[in-house]
Amino acid sequence: MASGNGGVPVGGSGGSVANAEKRPNELLNSWFLRSGWSKGELARQVNRRARQLGANHISTDTSRVRRWLDGENPREPIPRILSELFSERFGCVVAVEDLGLRAAHQAPSVSGVDLPWTGPQTVALIGEFSRSDLMLARRGFLGSSLALAAGPALIEPMQRWLVPTPGAGSSRADQETVAHRRANRLSKPELDLLESTTVMFRQWDAQCGGGLRRKAVVGQLHEVTDLLQEPQPEATTKRLFKVAAELAELAGWMSYDVGLQPTAQKYFVLALHAAKEAGDKPLGSYILSSMSRQMIHLGRPDDALELIHLAQYGSRDCASPRTQAMLYAMEARAYANMGQPGKCKRAVRMAEDTFTDADDWDEPDPDWIRFFSAAELHGENSHSFRDLAYVAGRSPAYASMSEPLMQRAVDLFGQDAEHQRSYALNLIGMATVHLLQKEPEQATVMAKQALGIARKVRSERVNTRIRKTVDTAVRDFGDLAEVIDLTDLLAAQLPETAEAAV
């Protein structure tokens, strides 16, 4: 296989290319020193992430990391992996260029998020990306890397979601005529089955995490794009675009859950394009909320807030109270992480007030928003206050505001066998609240419960949060017997070498 580096010879299994004239990579050295990692630890993390991505040929060691720091340029997918690892470490987007590494050339259909807002091109882009995802995963090689978009590069293209497409509908009559001339290949029962399959995938994700069925969802999405390339009546085409939007969002969510952040963002963007073609603004607002959640995770609350405001503006006249309550809760999370307590509290109140109208809504909620239960509402709002506590310098006042809401979420999710990942995440959240309140014994109890669930669900997000919580407990209460016991349990039950299926 060609190296993609203009014939430059490839280094060993660590995936580096030899440079004619090497100089120490000062940018990479700077990020590496601030991370606090050892060379061996970074090598282990690169290897683990490579296995998660299917790049099983990567086998990095301490000497290879030293050569990168000395100026050797690693070949893909290592620059992408390093970008993700440092982004997660520092809670902000650390691009490949920020690390002093060369970004691989990407075709317009693969790189970036500024894509054409037309039906045929949306179908082609989803089909191309899902096919590449499936093929490269099977081969164990990632090929071209993806770069995370943030700031104006992300927000400005997403704003076009609300702009009417010029000439939209001009060929609808012709499409309808062609579709009726030919045998209709998709019956109503077949459409119903496609939609019910999407519901089933969503249930599996909630129960088992994103690592178990991600490739199955991507495969189903690719099949739907094949159907969209056939002539169909307009109503059928819209339903197919809606299915494609839901599947692409779910593929993005699962990718996010297992730590494939650039892949997740790409699927979210494609999902938003499909939702626009379906004419489903509430679904589009939900997709934007998923993108917002990812931006909060990546330490970009300002981008998260822009995305949520765009979602609210675009669906204010058609979203159900449950959907609007979810958007207010995500708005509160963004404000919390921006350190704006007044606006955060207002958004929390709006989420609670709006949610009370959910049961009185005249129409049934779509399946994609039914996850937003009272437990989820309490969990989101409690995390907002918890986040405020951290931003405010570990404020005990905000921690005490978070505790009762977090406890309600834990109690409700504990009775819900369908949403085990959410249960684990809220148990971890409760553990962090106890640590903020200097109650390490209670924190270890919650963390152990979460660890038991983490062994059953395939979620790198859950695993990472448990590890970070244990790290905090060790840093603040490392001499406590319960914390030492928790650390040993974590090493035994959730070792760093654990792989996540993608």
Side-chain angles (χ1 to χ4, degrees):
M1 181 176 292
S3 67
N5 293 288
V8 177
V10 175
S13 59
S16 297
V17 296
N19 293 327
E21 182 180 349
K22 290 193 300 182
R23 296 180 181 176
N25 187 332
E26 295 180 1
L27 289 173
L28 182 59
N29 270 281
S30 175
W31 288 104
F32 174 70
L33 290 173
R34 282 183 285 160
S35 73
W37 289 327
S38 66
K39 294 182 182 68
E41 187 175 3
L42 179 57
R44 288 191 294 274
Q45 292 199 55
V46 167
N47 290 335
R48 183 176 69 249
R49 184 61 55 90
R51 287 193 293 272
Q52 292 170 5
L53 297 175
N56 296 313
H57 63 291
I58 298 297
S59 180
T60 298
D61 57 19
T62 301
S63 62
R64 180 68 60 180
V65 172
R66 184 181 300 109
R67 289 199 289 271
W68 298 340
L69 296 171
D70 288 342
E72 188 175 82
N73 198 58
R75 64 179 282 189
E76 291 296 344
I78 287 177
R80 169 188 174 181
I81 291 174
L82 292 172
S83 171
E84 291 184 16
L85 291 174
F86 283 107
S87 294
E88 292 169 5
R89 182 67 170 181
F90 290 97
C92 63
V93 177
V94 181
V96 171
E97 293 85 351
D98 296 332
L99 298 173
L101 303 174
R102 292 196 303 266
H105 174 73
Q106 299 166 350
S109 58
V110 176
S111 63
V113 297
D114 194 359
L115 307 174
W117 293 91
T118 67
Q121 286 175 296
T122 294
V123 173
L125 289 166
I126 295 175
E128 178 186 346
F129 190 67
S130 58
R131 180 177 62 251
S132 297
D133 193 357
L134 291 168
M135 291 177 63
L136 296 173
R138 281 199 296 270
R139 292 175 185 173
F141 179 68
L142 291 169
S144 299
S145 72
L146 290 169
L148 276 163
L154 172 65
I155 303 303
E156 290 177 9
M158 296 306 97
Q159 289 172 340
R160 300 187 190 110
W161 169 58
L162 298 176
V163 177
T165 304
S170 60
S171 61
R172 289 294 187 190
D174 294 338
Q175 288 181 353
E176 195 80 19
T177 301
V178 172
H180 281 298
R181 277 201 219 113
R182 299 175 61 174
N184 187 2
R185 296 188 180 185
L186 204 61
S187 65
K188 183 180 182 300
E190 289 172 323
L191 270 171
D192 293 340
L193 182 60
L194 279 175
E195 292 170 342
S196 64
T197 301
T198 305
V199 172
M200 178 185 66
F201 281 136
R202 194 175 287 116
Q203 291 172 341
W204 281 348
D205 171 64
Q207 289 174 341
C208 307
L212 190 61
R213 291 288 185 269
R214 197 188 78 87
K215 282 187 280 191
V217 171
V218 173
Q220 184 76 11
L221 173 62
H222 188 68
E223 292 293 330
V224 171
T225 63
D226 287 344
L227 294 172
L228 277 165
Q229 292 175 20
E230 300 173 2
Q232 304 284 355
E234 181 177 356
T236 300
T237 297
K238 282 200 167 188
R239 283 184 70 181
L240 282 173
F241 267 119
K242 181 175 178 293
V243 171
E246 292 191 37
L247 286 170
E249 190 282 331
L250 186 55
W253 182 254
M254 289 175 154
S255 301
Y256 164 63
D257 194 45
V258 298
L260 305 178
Q261 301 303 337
T263 299
Q265 186 181 74
K266 183 71 171 185
Y267 275 121
F268 289 149
V269 171
L270 292 170
L272 189 63
H273 280 251
K276 180 179 175 67
E277 294 300 320
D280 196 329
K281 288 185 177 180
L283 176 57
S285 72
Y286 169 63
I287 295 164
L288 285 165
S289 77
S290 296
M291 297 178 72
S292 174
R293 189 182 298 275
Q294 183 187 32
M295 286 295 104
I296 290 173
H297 173 76
L298 294 171
R300 303 279 307 196
D302 48 345
D303 289 346
L305 186 64
E306 292 272 9
L307 292 166
I308 283 297
H309 284 169
L310 182 59
Q312 291 170 323
Y313 179 78
S315 64
R316 65 188 186 281
D317 59 343
C318 54
S320 70
R322 192 180 301 273
T323 301
Q324 293 181 41
M326 181 270 295
L327 294 176
Y328 279 125
M330 288 308 302
E331 183 183 25
R333 290 292 302 275
Y335 278 131
N337 282 269
M338 293 172 72
Q340 299 190 24
K343 292 180 178 180
C344 173
K345 292 174 185 176
R346 177 186 175 278
V348 166
R349 287 194 301 270
M350 292 296 294
E352 292 173 342
D353 292 346
T354 307
F355 188 80
T356 60
D357 298 328
D359 292 335
D360 297 328
W361 184 243
D362 293 336
E363 301 175 9
D365 278 306
D367 183 75
W368 48 259
I369 194 57
R370 288 179 189 157
F371 81 96
F372 197 74
S373 59
E376 195 72 32
L377 174 70
H378 295 319
E380 288 293 354
N381 289 342
S382 64
H383 277 85
S384 290
F385 290 130
R386 191 279 314 271
D387 293 349
L388 268 178
Y390 278 116
V391 173
R394 303 171 68 87
S395 164
Y398 292 130
S400 65
M401 293 172 69
S402 174
E403 183 179 9
L405 292 172
M406 194 82 78
Q407 188 61 57
R408 278 182 240 168
V410 167
D411 292 342
L412 289 170
F413 277 123
Q415 304 166 24
D416 181 2
E418 186 175 331
H419 294 89
Q420 287 297 288
R421 181 180 54 208
S422 294
Y423 183 32
L425 290 170
N426 281 275
L427 283 167
I428 299 165
M430 195 69 196
T432 62
V433 170
H434 282 308
L435 289 175
L436 284 167
Q437 295 178 318
K438 302 188 185 305
E439 299 168 345
E441 295 86 358
Q442 293 93 319
T444 58
V445 171
M446 295 293 166
K448 286 179 180 179
Q449 291 183 47
L451 186 56
I453 300 171
R455 298 178 64 197
K456 302 173 186 176
V457 300
R458 306 284 282 276
S459 171
E460 187 62 22
R461 189 161 47 112
V462 169
N463 297 349
T464 298
R465 291 193 187 181
I466 289 177
R467 292 187 183 110
K468 287 183 176 179
T469 302
V470 174
D471 286 346
T472 301
V474 170
R475 185 188 65 219
D476 295 344
F477 308 99
D479 295 335
L480 195 69
E482 289 88 344
V483 172
I484 295 172
D485 180 55
L486 175 62
T487 305
D488 293 341
L489 194 64
L490 177 68
Q493 297 189 1
L494 200 66
E496 283 284 338
T497 54
E499 296 184 32
V502 298

